[in-house]
């Protein structure tokens, strides 16, 4: 987007910085992904830097299993039960590309509500709706 003069200006205005496929440009992350590929053939990494009191993405489901490695700061995560689409394909991901998350997903309490801190790891199964936000006291790198 040309809304900001630089990524740092966007971040200071409350935007998250997202680097998709960071494993292609950061060798330590590439090494981790390669070591995971014996069990998880399509392993790759995205990096999210989220400022305080912010949310990088609204509630959504992914078309893949997700491992979250909290590297710095903290982030509050919620995972909701009963995926609206079982093992979704890319075009079936709710909360993305104009496909809303069904309101029924939010009627029950999340099956997990936890704060990740540096060093914590979280597994989000494919198709499960989830969301994460930073508190007013800490930014996040995961």
């Amino acid at each position: 987007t040309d809304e900001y003069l630089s990524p740092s200006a966007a971040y200071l205005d409350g935007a998250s910085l997202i680097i998709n496929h960071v494993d292609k440009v950061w060798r330590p992350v590439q090494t981790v992904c390669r070591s995971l590929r014996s069990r998880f053939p399509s392993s790759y990494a995205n990096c999210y830097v989220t400022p305080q009191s912010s949310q990088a993405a609204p509630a959504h489901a992914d078309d893949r299993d997700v491992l979250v490695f909290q590297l710095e700061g903290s982030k509050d995560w919620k995972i909701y039960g009963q995926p609206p689409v079982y093992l979704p394909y890319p075009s079936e991901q709710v909360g993305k590309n104009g496909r809303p998350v069904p309101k029924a997903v939010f009627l029950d309490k999340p099956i997990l509500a936890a704060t990740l801190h540096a060093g914590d790891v979280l597994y989000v199964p494919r198709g499960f709706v989830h969301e994460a936000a930073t508190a007013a006291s800490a930014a996040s790198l995961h």
Side-chain angles (χ1 to χ4, degrees):
T1 178
D2 58 359
E3 187 177 342
Y4 296 99
L5 295 176
S6 69
S8 58
Y11 180 82
L12 291 172
D13 194 38
S16 291
L17 305 179
I18 302 169
I19 305 168
N20 290 322
H21 292 282
V22 70
D23 54 297
K24 294 186 183 290
V25 296
W26 193 8
R27 188 167 304 279
V29 176
Q30 182 182 61
T31 301
V32 170
C33 289
R34 282 187 176 163
S35 69
L36 290 170
R37 285 189 184 131
S38 64
R39 295 199 184 257
F40 305 101
S42 63
S43 297
Y44 65 92
N46 296 332
C47 179
Y48 296 82
V49 182
T50 307
Q52 297 167 293
S53 302
S54 190
Q55 185 172 6
H60 67 280
D62 291 307
D63 63 347
R64 67 194 73 86
D65 294 323
V66 175
L67 280 175
V68 178
F69 294 89
Q70 186 68 38
L71 301 175
E72 289 290 336
S74 62
K75 204 160 202 182
D76 300 322
W77 286 81
K78 293 179 185 173
I79 301 176
Y80 299 92
Q82 212 50 264
V85 178
Y86 180 70
L87 300 179
Y89 288 104
S91 64
E92 299 174 313
Q93 298 173 97
V94 298
K96 296 181 177 183
N97 302 317
R99 257 185 98 92
V101 175
K103 290 183 171 62
V105 168
F106 304 111
L107 294 178
D108 292 327
K109 289 174 47 175
I111 59 172
L112 177 81
T115 300
L116 294 188
H117 300 280
D120 290 342
V121 177
L122 174 66
Y123 170 67
V124 182
R126 177 180 175 183
F128 279 74
V129 174
H130 57 281
E131 61 183 322
T134 54
S137 59
S140 170
L141 170 63
H142 80 274

